[in-house]
Amino acid sequence: MNYILISPYYPSNFQAFAHRLKDEGVNVLGIGEELYDQLGSELQNSLTEYYRVNNLEDIDEVKRAVAFLFYKHGPIDRIESNNEHWLELDAQLREQFNVYGNKTNDLKKVKHKSEMKKLFKKAGVPVVDGKIVKTKKDLSKAIDQLGLPVIAKPDNGVGTAATFKLCSEEAVRQFEEEWGEEQVYFLEPYVEGGVLCTFDGLVDQKANIVFQTSFTYNVPTLELVKDQLDLAYVIQKEIDPKLENYGKAIVETFGMKERFFHIEFFKLEDGSYVALEYNNRLAGGYTIDMYNFAYSIDLFAQYATLVTGGEFKEPAVENQFCVGVTQRDAYEYKNDTNAIYERFGDRVKFEKRIPEAFAKLQGNQFYAINADSQEEVDEIISFVHERKKYSLVNV
């Protein structure tokens, strides 16, 4: 099997995909921007060949790279990055070279929030009504219909990028000036008091869910960025049956195969749910590592097994909570890394610096810590986030 990995070096924790695919006997071919010497010996040894391009955004240059690898190694069986940023590139390449997996037309339902809403409704999952906005006239009409406050998101966008919470007419006017009708937006009512949570997992080649999990954020991502709050999110020990039923209905309706999925919901105060977004890939950052620690599993290896036609192997031990908790360089915390290790010992699975590109969203220093109970989860978050009395160091 010839498997092309797009951007095999970055993010660094995704390098394990190359290692596990090679372990399964796959011929792993990499295409990326980094110099070969920058890859490091472990990744170099997992790649049969690496083709460096100057710019992965240059589709013609990347197509030439795929054509070369096709000529040298034979037909390509898979092209994948497992990265939101490259989903459209992956699809274009699969279409050009007739490779298994999502093509460009398949992405409309997982890239456009307006299309997601239609499929959520088809799956029988609650949503809040939204409106597509292309012009200022559309915007005014949508505000009249939906009322304020609303969330304005690019219809085709990633995460909280270029997302606005519009609470007043002044905020609407400011948004109009910044927006300039340059891209299509999707407006929906702001959900008050919702807890952001997910239904995540992996489907096999027959679209069966073979792994599922859920995590919950301490604050919604929009507020997290705007107010530069401390982040904590928790891989749950159990999944709420209502959330599980909604998640399964969505996965079945979207009909993806041999892929990770990451579906976002708001859980409301009355225990009901509202579906927000379907992401046709892994949750970002170190979340897959947290899954592995919570479930005593190696999802990189499990994915490689599925790709090569094998079966998912269930973990042999009971899963735990895993807490992802961060600290920001802008604040002074009472407990540093040494204190955290001293307090929680081998429950601290790893600590790493967060890449600068994600620091504004997540923070600068990341800890993954396992827990057996909700009380331990609360203790971990409180301990890591506790600040000194005067905590701002960069004013």
Side-chain angles (χ1 to χ4, degrees):
M1 171 181 277
N2 289 323
Y3 190 117
I4 289 180
L5 267 179
I6 301 296
S7 187
Y9 178 80
Y10 184 85
S12 60
N13 61 321
F14 280 22
Q15 292 178 23
F17 280 114
H19 308 326
R20 303 300 182 267
L21 286 163
K22 184 195 177 187
D23 291 343
E24 286 292 323
V26 174
N27 197 36
V28 187
L29 310 167
I31 299 176
E33 297 177 359
E34 292 78 17
L35 295 171
Y36 182 73
D37 289 344
Q38 187 179 340
L39 303 183
S41 59
E42 187 177 11
L43 183 56
Q44 289 171 353
N45 291 335
S46 292
L47 299 175
T48 301
E49 184 153 356
Y50 178 69
Y51 192 110
R52 180 182 177 269
V53 295
N54 291 315
N55 184 4
L56 281 172
E57 304 282 358
D58 185 338
I59 183 65
D60 291 330
E61 185 182 16
V62 180
K63 284 181 178 178
R64 288 193 292 272
V66 176
F68 172 82
L69 295 172
F70 188 112
Y71 171 78
K72 186 170 181 180
H73 297 276
I76 305 301
D77 299 286
R78 298 289 189 277
I79 298 175
E80 185 58 73
S81 65
N82 283 305
N83 190 319
E84 177 77 40
H85 189 77
W86 304 118
L87 288 185
E88 292 179 271
L89 173 64
D90 298 341
Q92 288 178 292
L93 295 173
R94 294 189 199 105
E95 191 162 348
Q96 177 78 24
F97 294 94
N98 193 29
V99 174
Y100 174 92
N102 291 331
K103 309 301 193 294
T104 300
N105 284 341
D106 300 319
L107 288 190
K108 186 177 181 182
K109 61 188 176 184
V110 297
K111 294 294 291 181
H112 294 268
K113 296 173 180 63
S114 53
E115 295 298 319
M116 292 177 197
K117 291 274 188 183
K118 296 175 185 177
L119 290 177
F120 290 156
K121 290 179 178 179
K122 184 178 178 181
V125 178
V127 296
V128 292
D129 289 328
K131 301 291 181 182
I132 289 179
V133 170
K134 298 180 180 179
T135 66
K136 292 180 181 179
K137 185 177 179 180
D138 292 341
L139 176 64
S140 178
K141 186 176 180 180
I143 297 288
D144 287 343
Q145 292 176 335
L146 299 174
L148 294 175
V150 297
I151 297 294
K153 309 175 184 178
D155 191 38
N156 181 3
V158 179
T160 59
T163 296
F164 299 84
K165 180 181 177 182
L166 309 180
C167 299
S168 65
E169 291 297 333
E170 183 181 349
V172 173
R173 287 193 295 273
Q174 185 176 349
F175 168 70
E176 282 183 337
E177 292 177 9
E178 293 188 36
W179 169 40
E181 300 182 350
E182 292 184 3
Q183 64 183 131
V184 177
Y185 260 76
F186 189 76
L187 265 64
E188 59 187 16
Y190 178 73
V191 178
E192 294 283 355
V195 174
L196 186 60
C197 60
T198 74
F199 181 73
D200 294 6
L202 174 65
V203 292
D204 64 15
Q205 294 174 353
K206 296 180 180 179
N208 299 311
I209 298 175
V210 293
F211 173 77
Q212 62 184 39
T213 187
S214 173
F215 64 84
T216 302
Y217 288 92
N218 63 330
V219 290
T221 50
L222 192 61
E223 281 79 0
L224 181 72
V225 177
K226 178 178 177 291
D227 300 324
Q228 289 293 277
L229 302 174
D230 289 322
L231 169 67
Y233 64 106
V234 184
I235 308 294
Q236 297 296 306
K237 202 169 182 179
E238 297 178 350
I239 305 174
D240 182 342
K242 185 185 294 185
L243 175 63
E244 180 179 356
N245 289 336
Y246 285 151
K248 286 181 174 179
I250 290 171
V251 170
E252 182 178 354
T253 302
F254 274 74
M256 296 300 175
K257 298 178 180 179
E258 196 186 279
R259 295 202 64 80
F260 290 94
F261 60 86
H262 167 57
I263 310 171
E264 296 179 351
F265 294 82
F266 267 138
K267 183 177 183 179
L268 307 182
E269 292 179 356
D270 62 2
S272 62
Y273 289 89
V274 173
L276 299 177
E277 291 188 20
Y278 180 102
N279 296 280
N280 203 37
R281 44 82 182 170
L282 279 163
Y286 299 117
T287 309
I288 186 171
D289 305 282
M290 291 173 59
Y291 297 156
N292 288 339
F293 290 123
Y295 288 85
S296 300
I297 199 173
D298 185 340
L299 282 169
F300 299 106
Q302 296 274 19
Y303 171 79
T305 298
L306 289 184
V307 167
T308 52
E311 294 187 359
F312 188 89
K313 303 175 184 65
E314 293 291 339
V317 299
E318 183 182 3
N319 63 298
Q320 297 176 284
F321 292 97
C322 187
V323 186
V325 59
T326 69
Q327 294 179 336
R328 295 184 183 273
D329 290 348
Y331 307 120
E332 231 178 275
Y333 295 88
K334 186 174 180 180
N335 301 299
D336 62 9
T337 297
N338 289 335
I340 291 168
Y341 271 102
E342 185 176 337
R343 178 68 170 267
F344 300 110
D346 60 7
R347 285 188 285 169
V348 182
K349 297 306 176 181
F350 70 89
E351 54 87 16
K352 292 186 180 181
R353 292 292 290 177
I354 294 173
E356 195 60 37
F358 305 108
K360 184 176 181 182
L361 171 62
Q362 298 179 341
N364 304 95
Q365 182 69 24
F366 181 90
Y367 301 91
I369 307 174
N370 273 17
D372 290 316
S373 67
Q374 185 61 50
E375 289 74 23
E376 288 182 358
V377 168
D378 295 339
E379 178 192 4
I380 289 166
I381 296 171
S382 176
F383 188 84
V384 176
H385 282 170
E386 186 177 2
R387 298 181 192 174
K388 293 183 178 179
K389 187 173 182 180
Y390 301 103
S391 61
L392 271 174
V393 295
N394 295 324
V395 179

